[in-house]
Structures are given as C-alpha cells and as structure tokens.
Amino acid sequence: MAVVVPAHDEQALLPGCLTSVLDALRHLPVRSEVIVVADDCRDATAAVAARAGVVVLTVRARNVGRARAAGMAYALRDGPQGLWLVTTDADSRVPRRWGGWHLRHARAGTDLLVGTVRVTDWASRATRVRERFEARYRQGLTDTGHRHVHGANLGCAATAYERLGGFADLRHGEDHDLVERGRRQAMRVVADAGCAVRTSARRHGRAPHGFAGYLDALEDRPMAPSTVEPERTPCGGCTVA
C-alpha cells in the first residue's frame, strides 16, 4: 500500500497528517510507504516530511493533479501488481482504522474507493457555514453509499489507476475527474461513508476552487442544494529528497 500526500507550504499541518497516517498503517499485514510530494514549497514542508521518515518528492508544479500523479508514479516504480494506491491531503487527519478499511476494500476487488470527510473544528468559520455545509453534506449520503468525492480520502487499485491513465494535469477537480473516468469505464467504484477523514475548515486553502473556496461560498450566500458539489478539491519530473 502506498499513501500519497501532496503538500504546498504545509509545514504547520503536515506533522499531524503524517502522524495519523503512519499510525493507521503501522499494524497492517502488508508493506506500506508514505510519499509526500512537496509542490513549490517556500517553507519547511520537505524537511518536516523527511524528519517523519517518509519518502519526499519535490516538484515545481503548483498543480495538485500533477503533484498527486508524481507521487503515484513513484509508488508504481516496481509495477502495479498487488499494489493499492491511496491519497489524502496535508491538512487532514485519518482515523486509526483507515489503513485496514482501505486494505479490506483492496482485497474485495474494489477498483476505486471513494470515502467521505468530516470537519471537527469550525472555529474559523461562522455558525451558518457549518449548518449549511452539514445540511448539504447529508443530502449527498444515500442508503447504499454517498455522492461525494474527496482527494483527502481516495483509494485505487494500481492496475485500475494505470488503465485510467492516472491523475490528470488539473489544478483542481483531479479527484472527481479520476472517479468519473472510472465510472465511465464501468470499473468497480465503491462509495463508502464508513471511514471518514477529518479535514480542515481553514480559510486559506492551497488549491483554487478547493474545499476552502467551497466554504467561502457558503459563507457569502445560501446555495441551492441541487447545484452544490460538497467538494471539488484539487487537489514534470521530480526528485527524491
């Protein structure tokens, strides 16, 4: 199993993300690695990741689709057979059972696993933002799964990822794009709301039109539920640090 974390100037939040990911992988009965892709960072993101003992790639893309793709390409260096690819975001925290949850889906033959997120700290946002977000998010939950897509909680069989051509070179929405292509190709796409990742409600996001931008829009004005996507988070060569 390989976990890819794209990161642009994330020295403050990345340690918490990596601690949670490493804890979730610690007792898995399979080999695993964590790959941080430091994308055009002006802070100590790469150094923070290196101190955590994970693989660090550096790119100069300012493009979350390209950053995720660079991490996946590194994970695939020995081929796709038997490999499960996972991605999350640097401002997110995964639960301890997250690794086992992904592994169960991988062993069950899932091609693409689409998880959910939750926000637990709304201190930087007005109460109405939380209320609007939670109401719209609930509308995306179904009896059999959900209609959300998040780069913060996404898994894929490596063979399926290669058939799809990987993450597109997109500054945002690369997660939705991959899942939509998988559905068009009749892959086994499973939307499971049973293991949510905790993510940030921060005001200054790293990707244009990402989760922070979506919350900004909810604060500015009410939005019709039928027109809202709960998240369209975006989120060349690389060197290993």
Side-chain angles (χ1 to χ4, degrees), residues 17-90:
C17 171
L18 294 180
T19 295
S20 71
V21 169
L22 291 169
D23 189 44
L25 300 179
R26 184 165 292 117
H27 300 298
L28 293 185
V30 295
R31 178 181 173 273
S32 60
E33 68 177 344
V34 180
I35 303 160
V36 171
V37 185
D39 183 8
D40 196 26
C41 294
R42 297 159 294 179
D43 66 359
T45 291
V48 166
R51 284 197 297 270
V54 305
V55 175
V56 185
L57 309 180
T58 58
V59 299
R60 300 289 183 188
R62 284 305 301 273
N63 180 305
V64 70
R66 198 181 305 172
R68 285 198 212 275
M72 296 299 184
Y74 181 86
L76 283 159
R77 64 196 179 278
D78 295 323
Q81 294 304 318
L83 178 62
W84 182 257
L85 300 169
V86 189
T87 188
T88 190
D89 291 335

Coordinates of all heavy atoms in Angstrom, one line a residue, residues 17-90:
C17 N -1.0 15.3 10.0 CA -1.4 14.4 9.0 C -0.5 13.1 9.0 O -1.0 12.0 9.0 CB -1.3 15.1 7.6 SG -1.6 14.0 6.2
L18 N 0.8 13.3 8.9 CA 1.7 12.2 8.8 C 1.6 11.3 10.1 O 1.7 10.0 10.0 CB 3.1 12.6 8.6 CG 3.4 13.3 7.3 CD1 4.8 13.8 7.1 CD2 3.0 12.4 6.1
T19 N 1.5 11.9 11.2 CA 1.4 11.1 12.4 C 0.1 10.2 12.4 O 0.2 9.0 12.7 CB 1.2 12.0 13.7 OG1 2.5 12.7 13.9 CG2 1.0 11.1 14.9
S20 N -1.0 10.7 11.9 CA -2.2 9.9 11.8 C -2.1 8.8 10.7 O -2.5 7.7 10.9 CB -3.4 10.8 11.5 OG -3.4 11.3 10.2
V21 N -1.5 9.1 9.6 CA -1.3 8.2 8.5 C -0.4 7.0 8.9 O -0.7 5.8 8.7 CB -0.8 8.8 7.2 CG1 -0.4 7.8 6.2 CG2 -1.8 9.8 6.6
L22 N 0.8 7.4 9.5 CA 1.7 6.3 9.9 C 1.1 5.4 11.0 O 1.3 4.2 11.0 CB 3.0 7.0 10.5 CG 3.8 7.7 9.4 CD1 4.9 8.5 10.0 CD2 4.4 6.6 8.4
D23 N 0.3 6.0 11.9 CA -0.4 5.2 12.9 C -1.4 4.3 12.3 O -1.5 3.1 12.7 CB -1.1 6.2 13.9 CG -1.6 5.4 15.1 OD1 -0.9 4.6 15.7 OD2 -2.8 5.7 15.5
A24 N -2.1 4.7 11.2 CA -3.1 3.9 10.6 C -2.5 2.7 9.8 O -3.1 1.7 9.5 CB -3.9 4.7 9.6
L25 N -1.2 2.9 9.4 CA -0.5 1.9 8.6 C 0.3 0.9 9.4 O 0.7 -0.1 9.0 CB 0.4 2.5 7.6 CG -0.2 3.5 6.5 CD1 0.8 4.0 5.6 CD2 -1.3 2.7 5.7
R26 N 0.6 1.3 10.7 CA 1.6 0.6 11.5 C 1.4 -0.9 11.6 O 2.4 -1.6 11.5 CB 1.6 1.3 12.9 CG 2.7 0.7 13.8 CD 3.0 1.6 15.0 NE 3.6 2.9 14.6 CZ 3.0 4.1 14.7 NH1 1.8 4.2 15.3 NH2 3.6 5.2 14.3
H27 N 0.2 -1.3 11.8 CA 0.0 -2.8 12.1 C -0.6 -3.5 10.9 O -1.1 -4.6 11.1 CB -0.9 -2.9 13.3 CG -0.3 -2.3 14.6 ND1 0.9 -2.7 15.1 CD2 -0.7 -1.2 15.3 CE1 1.2 -2.0 16.2 NE2 0.3 -1.1 16.3
L28 N -0.6 -3.0 9.7 CA -1.1 -3.7 8.6 C -0.2 -4.8 8.2 O 1.0 -4.7 8.3 CB -1.2 -2.7 7.4 CG -2.3 -1.6 7.5 CD1 -2.3 -0.8 6.1 CD2 -3.6 -2.1 7.8
P29 N -0.8 -5.9 7.7 CA 0.0 -7.1 7.4 C 0.5 -7.0 6.0 O 0.8 -8.1 5.3 CB -1.0 -8.3 7.5 CG -2.3 -7.6 7.2 CD -2.3 -6.2 7.7
V30 N 0.7 -5.8 5.4 CA 1.3 -5.6 4.1 C 2.3 -4.5 4.2 O 2.3 -3.7 5.1 CB 0.2 -5.3 3.1 CG1 -0.8 -6.4 2.9 CG2 -0.5 -4.0 3.5
R31 N 3.3 -4.6 3.2 CA 4.3 -3.5 3.2 C 3.6 -2.2 2.8 O 2.7 -2.2 1.9 CB 5.3 -3.9 2.1 CG 6.4 -2.8 1.9 CD 7.4 -3.2 0.9 NE 8.3 -2.1 0.6 CZ 8.1 -1.2 -0.3 NH1 7.0 -1.2 -1.0 NH2 9.0 -0.3 -0.5
S32 N 4.0 -1.1 3.4 CA 3.4 0.2 3.1 C 4.4 1.3 3.1 O 5.5 1.2 3.7 CB 2.2 0.5 4.1 OG 2.7 0.6 5.4
E33 N 4.1 2.4 2.4 CA 5.0 3.5 2.4 C 4.2 4.8 2.2 O 3.0 4.7 1.7 CB 6.1 3.4 1.3 CG 5.5 3.6 -0.1 CD 6.6 3.6 -1.2 OE1 7.8 3.8 -0.8 OE2 6.3 3.3 -2.4
V34 N 4.7 5.9 2.7 CA 4.1 7.2 2.6 C 5.0 8.1 1.8 O 6.2 8.2 2.0 CB 3.8 7.8 4.0 CG1 3.1 9.2 3.9 CG2 3.0 6.8 4.9
I35 N 4.4 8.8 0.8 CA 5.1 9.6 -0.1 C 4.5 11.0 0.0 O 3.3 11.3 -0.4 CB 5.0 9.1 -1.5 CG1 5.5 7.7 -1.6 CG2 5.7 10.0 -2.5 CD1 5.0 6.9 -2.9
V36 N 5.3 12.0 0.4 CA 4.9 13.4 0.4 C 5.5 14.1 -0.8 O 6.7 14.0 -1.1 CB 5.4 14.1 1.7 CG1 5.1 15.6 1.6 CG2 4.7 13.6 2.9
V37 N 4.6 14.7 -1.5 CA 5.0 15.5 -2.7 C 5.0 17.0 -2.4 O 3.9 17.6 -2.3 CB 4.1 15.2 -3.9 CG1 4.7 15.9 -5.2 CG2 4.0 13.7 -4.2
A38 N 6.2 17.5 -2.1 CA 6.3 18.9 -1.7 C 6.3 19.7 -3.0 O 7.3 19.7 -3.8 CB 7.6 19.1 -0.9
D39 N 5.2 20.5 -3.2 CA 5.0 21.1 -4.5 C 5.2 22.6 -4.4 O 4.5 23.4 -3.8 CB 3.5 20.9 -5.0 CG 3.3 21.5 -6.3 OD1 4.2 22.0 -7.0 OD2 2.1 21.5 -6.8
D40 N 6.4 23.1 -4.9 CA 6.7 24.5 -5.0 C 6.6 25.1 -3.6 O 6.0 26.2 -3.4 CB 5.8 25.2 -6.0 CG 6.3 26.6 -6.4 OD1 7.6 26.8 -6.3 OD2 5.5 27.5 -6.7
C41 N 7.2 24.5 -2.6 CA 7.1 25.0 -1.2 C 8.2 26.0 -0.9 O 9.4 25.9 -1.3 CB 7.3 23.8 -0.3 SG 5.9 22.6 -0.4
R42 N 7.8 27.0 -0.2 CA 8.7 28.1 0.3 C 9.0 28.0 1.8 O 9.7 28.8 2.3 CB 8.1 29.5 0.0 CG 7.9 29.7 -1.5 CD 6.9 30.8 -1.8 NE 5.5 30.4 -1.4 CZ 4.5 31.1 -1.4 NH1 4.5 32.3 -1.9 NH2 3.3 30.7 -1.0
D43 N 8.4 27.0 2.4 CA 8.6 26.8 3.8 C 9.3 25.4 4.1 O 10.0 24.9 3.2 CB 7.3 26.8 4.6 CG 6.3 25.7 4.2 OD1 6.7 24.8 3.3 OD2 5.2 25.6 4.8
A44 N 9.2 24.9 5.3 CA 10.0 23.7 5.6 C 9.2 22.4 5.4 O 9.4 21.4 6.1 CB 10.4 23.8 7.1
T45 N 8.2 22.4 4.5 CA 7.4 21.2 4.3 C 8.2 20.0 4.0 O 8.0 18.9 4.6 CB 6.4 21.4 3.1 OG1 5.4 22.4 3.5 CG2 5.7 20.2 2.7
A46 N 9.2 20.1 3.1 CA 10.0 18.9 2.8 C 10.8 18.4 4.0 O 10.9 17.2 4.2 CB 10.9 19.2 1.6
A47 N 11.4 19.3 4.7 CA 12.1 19.0 5.9 C 11.3 18.3 7.0 O 11.7 17.3 7.6 CB 12.8 20.2 6.5
V48 N 10.1 18.8 7.2 CA 9.1 18.2 8.1 C 8.8 16.8 7.7 O 8.8 15.8 8.5 CB 7.8 19.0 8.2 CG1 6.7 18.3 8.9 CG2 8.1 20.4 8.9
A49 N 8.6 16.6 6.4 CA 8.3 15.2 5.9 C 9.5 14.3 6.1 O 9.3 13.1 6.5 CB 7.8 15.3 4.5
A50 N 10.7 14.8 5.8 CA 11.9 14.0 5.9 C 12.1 13.5 7.4 O 12.5 12.4 7.7 CB 13.1 14.7 5.4
R51 N 11.8 14.5 8.3 CA 12.0 14.1 9.7 C 11.0 13.0 10.2 O 11.3 12.3 11.1 CB 11.8 15.4 10.6 CG 13.0 16.3 10.6 CD 13.0 17.3 11.7 NE 11.8 18.2 11.7 CZ 11.8 19.3 11.1 NH1 12.9 19.7 10.4 NH2 10.8 20.1 11.1
A52 N 9.9 12.9 9.5 CA 8.9 11.9 9.8 C 9.3 10.6 9.3 O 8.6 9.6 9.6 CB 7.5 12.3 9.3
G53 N 10.3 10.5 8.5 CA 10.8 9.3 7.9 C 10.1 8.7 6.7 O 10.2 7.6 6.4
V54 N 9.4 9.6 6.0 CA 8.6 9.2 4.8 C 9.4 9.6 3.6 O 10.4 10.4 3.6 CB 7.2 9.8 4.8 CG1 6.5 9.5 6.0 CG2 7.3 11.4 4.6
V55 N 9.0 9.1 2.4 CA 9.6 9.5 1.1 C 9.2 10.9 0.8 O 8.0 11.3 1.0 CB 9.2 8.5 0.0 CG1 9.7 9.0 -1.3 CG2 9.6 7.1 0.3
V56 N 10.1 11.7 0.3 CA 9.8 13.1 0.0 C 10.2 13.3 -1.5 O 11.4 13.1 -1.9 CB 10.6 14.1 0.9 CG1 10.1 15.5 0.5 CG2 10.4 13.8 2.3
L57 N 9.3 13.7 -2.3 CA 9.5 14.2 -3.7 C 9.3 15.7 -3.7 O 8.4 16.2 -3.0 CB 8.5 13.5 -4.6 CG 8.4 12.0 -4.6 CD1 7.3 11.6 -5.6 CD2 9.7 11.3 -4.8
T58 N 10.1 16.3 -4.5 CA 9.9 17.8 -4.7 C 9.5 18.0 -6.2 O 10.2 17.5 -7.1 CB 11.1 18.6 -4.3 OG1 12.2 18.2 -5.1 CG2 11.4 18.4 -2.8
V59 N 8.5 18.9 -6.4 CA 8.1 19.3 -7.8 C 7.9 20.8 -7.8 O 7.7 21.4 -6.7 CB 6.8 18.5 -8.2 CG1 7.0 17.0 -8.3 CG2 5.6 18.9 -7.4
R60 N 7.9 21.4 -8.9 CA 7.6 22.8 -9.1 C 6.4 23.0 -10.0 O 6.6 23.5 -11.1 CB 8.9 23.5 -9.7 CG 10.1 23.4 -8.8 CD 10.0 24.2 -7.6 NE 11.2 24.1 -6.8 CZ 11.3 24.6 -5.5 NH1 10.3 25.2 -5.0 NH2 12.4 24.5 -4.9
A61 N 5.3 22.5 -9.6 CA 4.1 22.5 -10.4 C 3.0 23.5 -10.0 O 2.4 24.0 -10.9 CB 3.5 21.1 -10.5
R62 N 2.8 23.7 -8.7 CA 1.7 24.4 -8.2 C 0.4 23.9 -8.9 O -0.4 24.6 -9.4 CB 1.8 25.9 -8.5 CG 2.8 26.7 -7.5 CD 2.5 26.5 -6.1 NE 1.1 26.9 -5.7 CZ 0.8 28.1 -5.4 NH1 1.8 29.1 -5.3 NH2 -0.4 28.5 -5.1
N63 N 0.3 22.6 -8.9 CA -0.8 21.9 -9.6 C -1.0 20.6 -8.8 O -0.2 19.7 -8.9 CB -0.4 21.6 -11.0 CG -1.4 20.9 -11.8 OD1 -1.9 19.8 -11.5 ND2 -1.8 21.5 -13.0
V64 N -2.1 20.5 -8.1 CA -2.3 19.3 -7.3 C -2.5 18.0 -8.1 O -2.1 17.0 -7.6 CB -3.5 19.6 -6.3 CG1 -4.8 19.6 -7.1 CG2 -3.5 18.6 -5.2
G65 N -3.1 18.1 -9.3 CA -3.2 16.9 -10.1 C -1.9 16.4 -10.5 O -1.6 15.2 -10.4
R66 N -1.0 17.3 -10.9 CA 0.4 16.9 -11.2 C 1.2 16.3 -10.0 O 1.9 15.4 -10.1 CB 1.1 18.0 -11.9 CG 2.4 17.6 -12.7 CD 3.1 18.7 -13.3 NE 2.2 19.5 -14.1 CZ 2.5 20.7 -14.7 NH1 3.7 21.2 -14.4 NH2 1.6 21.4 -15.4
A67 N 1.0 17.0 -8.9 CA 1.6 16.5 -7.7 C 1.2 15.1 -7.2 O 2.0 14.3 -6.9 CB 1.4 17.5 -6.5
R68 N -0.1 14.9 -7.2 CA -0.6 13.6 -6.9 C -0.1 12.5 -7.9 O 0.3 11.4 -7.5 CB -2.2 13.5 -6.9 CG -2.8 14.2 -5.7 CD -4.3 13.7 -5.6 NE -5.1 14.8 -5.0 CZ -5.2 15.0 -3.7 NH1 -4.6 14.3 -2.8 NH2 -6.0 16.0 -3.3
A69 N -0.1 12.9 -9.2 CA 0.4 12.0 -10.2 C 1.9 11.6 -10.0 O 2.3 10.5 -10.2 CB 0.2 12.6 -11.6
A70 N 2.7 12.6 -9.6 CA 4.1 12.4 -9.4 C 4.3 11.4 -8.2 O 5.1 10.5 -8.3 CB 4.8 13.7 -9.0
G71 N 3.5 11.5 -7.2 CA 3.6 10.6 -6.1 C 3.2 9.2 -6.5 O 3.8 8.2 -6.1
M72 N 2.1 9.1 -7.2 CA 1.6 7.8 -7.7 C 2.7 7.1 -8.6 O 2.9 5.9 -8.6 CB 0.3 7.9 -8.4 CG -0.8 8.4 -7.6 SD -1.2 7.3 -6.2 CE -2.7 8.1 -5.5
A73 N 3.3 7.9 -9.5 CA 4.3 7.4 -10.4 C 5.5 6.8 -9.6 O 6.0 5.7 -10.0 CB 4.8 8.5 -11.3
Y74 N 5.9 7.5 -8.5 CA 6.9 6.9 -7.7 C 6.5 5.6 -7.0 O 7.2 4.6 -7.0 CB 7.3 7.9 -6.6 CG 8.5 7.4 -5.7 CD1 9.8 7.6 -6.1 CD2 8.2 6.8 -4.5 CE1 10.8 7.1 -5.3 CE2 9.2 6.3 -3.8 CZ 10.5 6.5 -4.2 OH 11.6 6.0 -3.4
A75 N 5.3 5.6 -6.5 CA 4.8 4.4 -5.9 C 4.7 3.2 -6.9 O 4.9 2.0 -6.5 CB 3.4 4.6 -5.3
L76 N 4.5 3.5 -8.2 CA 4.4 2.5 -9.2 C 5.8 2.1 -9.8 O 5.8 1.3 -10.8 CB 3.5 3.0 -10.3 CG 2.0 2.9 -10.0 CD1 1.2 3.9 -10.9 CD2 1.5 1.5 -10.1
R77 N 6.9 2.5 -9.2 CA 8.2 2.2 -9.8 C 8.5 0.8 -10.0 O 9.3 0.4 -10.9 CB 9.3 2.9 -8.9 CG 9.4 2.3 -7.5 CD 10.2 3.3 -6.6 NE 10.3 2.7 -5.3 CZ 9.4 2.9 -4.3 NH1 8.2 3.5 -4.6 NH2 9.5 2.4 -3.1
D78 N 7.9 -0.1 -9.2 CA 8.2 -1.5 -9.3 C 7.0 -2.3 -10.0 O 6.9 -3.5 -10.0 CB 8.4 -2.2 -7.9 CG 9.7 -1.7 -7.3 OD1 10.7 -1.4 -8.1 OD2 9.8 -1.5 -6.1
G79 N 6.1 -1.5 -10.5 CA 4.9 -2.1 -11.2 C 3.7 -2.1 -10.4 O 3.7 -1.9 -9.1
P80 N 2.5 -2.3 -11.0 CA 1.2 -2.2 -10.3 C 0.7 -3.4 -9.6 O -0.2 -3.3 -8.8 CB 0.3 -1.8 -11.4 CG 0.8 -2.6 -12.6 CD 2.3 -2.6 -12.4
Q81 N 1.2 -4.6 -9.9 CA 0.6 -5.8 -9.4 C 0.6 -5.9 -7.8 O 1.6 -5.7 -7.2 CB 1.4 -7.0 -9.9 CG 1.3 -7.2 -11.4 CD -0.2 -7.3 -11.9 OE1 -1.0 -7.9 -11.3 NE2 -0.5 -6.6 -13.0
G82 N -0.6 -6.1 -7.3 CA -0.8 -6.3 -5.9 C -0.7 -5.0 -5.1 O -0.7 -5.0 -3.8
L83 N -0.6 -3.8 -5.8 CA -0.4 -2.5 -5.1 C -1.8 -1.8 -5.0 O -2.5 -1.7 -6.0 CB 0.6 -1.7 -5.9 CG 0.9 -0.3 -5.3 CD1 1.5 -0.3 -3.9 CD2 1.8 0.5 -6.3
W84 N -2.0 -1.2 -3.8 CA -3.2 -0.4 -3.6 C -2.7 1.0 -3.3 O -1.8 1.3 -2.5 CB -4.0 -0.9 -2.4 CG -5.2 -0.1 -2.1 CD1 -5.4 0.8 -1.1 CD2 -6.5 -0.1 -2.8 NE1 -6.7 1.3 -1.1 CE2 -7.4 0.8 -2.1 CE3 -6.9 -0.9 -3.9 CZ2 -8.7 0.9 -2.6 CZ3 -8.2 -0.7 -4.3 CH2 -9.1 0.2 -3.7
L85 N -3.2 2.0 -4.1 CA -2.8 3.4 -4.0 C -3.8 4.2 -3.2 O -5.0 4.0 -3.5 CB -2.6 4.0 -5.4 CG -1.6 3.3 -6.3 CD1 -1.8 3.8 -7.8 CD2 -0.2 3.5 -5.9
V86 N -3.3 5.0 -2.4 CA -4.2 5.9 -1.5 C -3.7 7.3 -1.6 O -2.5 7.6 -1.7 CB -4.2 5.4 -0.1 CG1 -5.3 6.1 0.7 CG2 -4.4 3.9 0.0
T87 N -4.6 8.2 -1.4 CA -4.2 9.6 -1.3 C -5.0 10.3 -0.2 O -6.2 10.0 0.0 CB -4.3 10.4 -2.6 OG1 -3.7 11.7 -2.5 CG2 -5.7 10.5 -3.1
T88 N -4.4 11.3 0.4 CA -5.1 12.1 1.4 C -4.4 13.5 1.3 O -3.5 13.7 0.5 CB -5.0 11.6 2.8 OG1 -5.9 12.4 3.6 CG2 -3.7 11.6 3.4
D89 N -4.9 14.5 2.1 CA -4.4 15.8 2.0 C -3.6 16.2 3.3 O -3.9 15.7 4.3 CB -5.5 16.8 1.8 CG -6.1 16.7 0.4 OD1 -5.4 16.2 -0.5 OD2 -7.3 17.0 0.2
A90 N -2.7 17.2 3.1 CA -1.8 17.5 4.2 C -2.6 18.2 5.4 O -2.0 18.2 6.5 CB -0.7 18.5 3.7

